Amino acid sequence: MIKATIRYIIILAAACLVAFGMYWLVEKNGTALGINPAFGREGRGEFPGMESGEFQPRPRGQRPADGFPEGTAPDAGFREHHNEFERGGAGSILGLGGIFKNMVVIAAITLGVLLLTKAFEWITRRGRKVRSAA
Amino acid sequence: MSAKTNLWVDTAILVAFLVAFEPVLTGIAIHEWLSLALAATVIIHLLLHWDWIIKVGVQFFRKLFHSSRLNFVINLVLFAAYILVMLSGILISRSVLSVLGIQIEATPAWRSLHSWSADLSLIFTGLHFALHWKWIVNTIKRYVAQPIGSLFTVRKLQPAAAKSTIKEN
């Protein structure tokens, strides 16, 4: 039990060390590494519906909406969708679809690797046969 | 540790991973807390394979070619991807950090890194799954398929047992 606890702490410490390294890389040297600190939709202050005018940026001085960056506020429809996402459950069919999609991705990768392994085995076996025949 | 324990821990991790991967289904709060619990379980998974990690880790720089090398590299990338998912998730967290009363000023880049590293971890989970396919199939056959199958097979009476049953009658 003591041995397992020590090992658990070692793994946790290693994970924390790697995490600290990643944090330092992104926060301190992100720009040098080509990671734009403001990249991503939110960083650019862009939201769906902005181009069509459906989504209006929040006027300056108004209280920022929860979860949205300074200077922007969502319209009622977008806000409702955002709240559904925050609560979860409302989009459960969508969520189950997402789980299914991820399972398909894992299955496809597994199948791909298994087929590649079989192909590699077949090629090496055939190569060995050809060499022995020669 | 037995293969049966490994099988159940791994199944729990896979199910939790798939559910935590879909915040649309669970909502942000459950997504964050479930992911934290998942991180703790992943460490238990590593703990159960401690001997293998040490053995292959020591051999990694000694022998240039051996079968576990690819497996080890994929597991290392997967571990790094999980750490990045957890770190970025904690930094952009709204539920966990507010409950703990912590406020972190992080750049918006973490949001994109969170989704990017999540996609990477999904791909490498698939590769991890594929490289352990034989073990998965064998263990499921042994601990799931065979016990279920034995429930439906008709048991034949042993000759001695059958005779004693006839005598009793």
Side-chain angles (χ1 to χ4, degrees), chain B residues 32-45:
Chain B
E32 288 180 11
W33 288 105
L34 184 65
S35 302
L36 269 187
L38 182 63
T41 324
V42 166
I43 296 178
I44 290 172
H45 173 82

Side-chain angles (χ1 to χ4, degrees), chain A residues 7-8 11 21 23 31 38 48-49 53 60 65 80 88 90 98 109 118 121 129:
Chain A
R7 285 174 179 180
Y8 197 96
I11 296 169
Y23 180 79
T31 321
R60 287 218 164 270
E80 199 180 319
I109 292 170
K118 285 280 168 206
E121 276 174 12
K129 265 186 193 172

